[in-house]
Amino acid sequence: MIEEVKEKDICECVNVIRVSFATVADEFGFTAENAPKFTAFATTEERLKWHLFGEHRRMYAFWDNGKIVGYYSLLLQSNNECELNNLCVLPAYRHRKIGQELLFHAFNTAKKANCVKINIGIVEEKKKLKNWYEQFGFTHTGTKKYDFFPFTCGYMEKIL
């Protein structure tokens, strides 16, 4: 079941994000030393509280038996666009279509907010994830290399 995140859920959301993104970090050799701004290392309660109360991001969690096992947030941008952030599912819950449910929920939430496009950023080298988003209508729009990441950021968008 997908529900909106409340302040009391933030700590559990941080854990879900960090554990979920740690699999990518492990796969590519990212560490807190070589990629301190990578999601698995940079996500904190303070940061998520800023997203919720400072930026007014819409945050949603997938609950299974009273436990948060998946998460995403939407940041409303200009020009009726939004950015999908941190869509993730705990490793033990993957391959059950929870990510797909969260993604479809994000599409519907964005449409209700009058967004016409969703933007995402991913680890460009994570081809399986890139292909997953493409099967749901996202198109690749470019890449950017940052000095503070040991990987290339890939950017994608979906017209709603």
Side-chain angles (χ1 to χ4, degrees):
M1 165 174 48
I2 299 173
E3 293 183 2
E4 195 164 356
V5 169
K6 308 281 190 278
E7 183 175 8
K8 67 177 179 54
D9 306 318
I10 294 284
C11 181
E12 193 172 358
C13 291
V14 168
N15 183 61
V16 169
I17 294 166
R18 291 178 71 113
V19 169
S20 298
F21 279 83
T23 61
V24 177
D26 291 345
E27 180 181 348
F28 290 99
F30 307 155
T31 65
E33 290 74 35
N34 71 12
K37 294 185 179 187
F38 183 64
T39 309
F41 313 116
T43 303
T44 63
E45 285 186 53
E46 295 76 26
R47 184 176 175 138
L48 281 195
K49 284 181 181 178
W50 166 249
H51 289 175
L52 184 60
F53 299 117
E55 295 180 325
H56 306 288
R57 290 186 194 210
R58 296 165 187 217
M59 299 177 161
Y60 297 91
F62 189 101
W63 296 78
D64 183 59
N65 292 318
K67 176 182 175 182
I68 296 175
V69 300
Y71 171 88
Y72 80 87
S73 71
L74 276 179
L75 176 63
L76 300 182
Q77 300 174 303
S78 61
N79 299 326
N80 293 88
E81 296 181 15
C82 61
E83 182 179 55
L84 175 63
N85 286 286
N86 300 339
L87 188 141
C88 61
V89 177
L90 288 173
Y93 290 84
R94 291 180 183 163
H95 308 292
R96 299 182 192 183
K97 301 202 182 282
I98 293 171
Q100 179 178 309
E101 281 189 56
L102 287 165
L103 187 60
F104 289 161
H105 189 274
F107 293 163
N108 289 330
T109 302
K111 286 177 187 176
K112 287 177 186 171
N114 297 315
C115 291
V116 296
K117 185 193 301 184
I118 293 183
N119 302 299
I120 60 170
I122 63 170
V123 174
E124 180 71 15
E125 292 82 359
K126 183 75 175 156
K127 301 297 183 203
K128 188 174 181 180
L129 181 63
K130 183 178 172 185
N131 292 339
W132 185 81
Y133 278 112
E134 286 174 340
Q135 73 180 340
F136 295 106
F138 281 86
T139 57
H140 191 262
T141 59
T143 61
K144 187 164 183 178
K145 183 75 176 127
Y146 296 96
D147 292 338
F148 53 83
F149 281 143
F151 58 87
T152 305
C153 293
Y155 296 98
M156 302 180 83
E157 67 181 23
K158 177 180 173 60
I159 305 299
L160 297 172

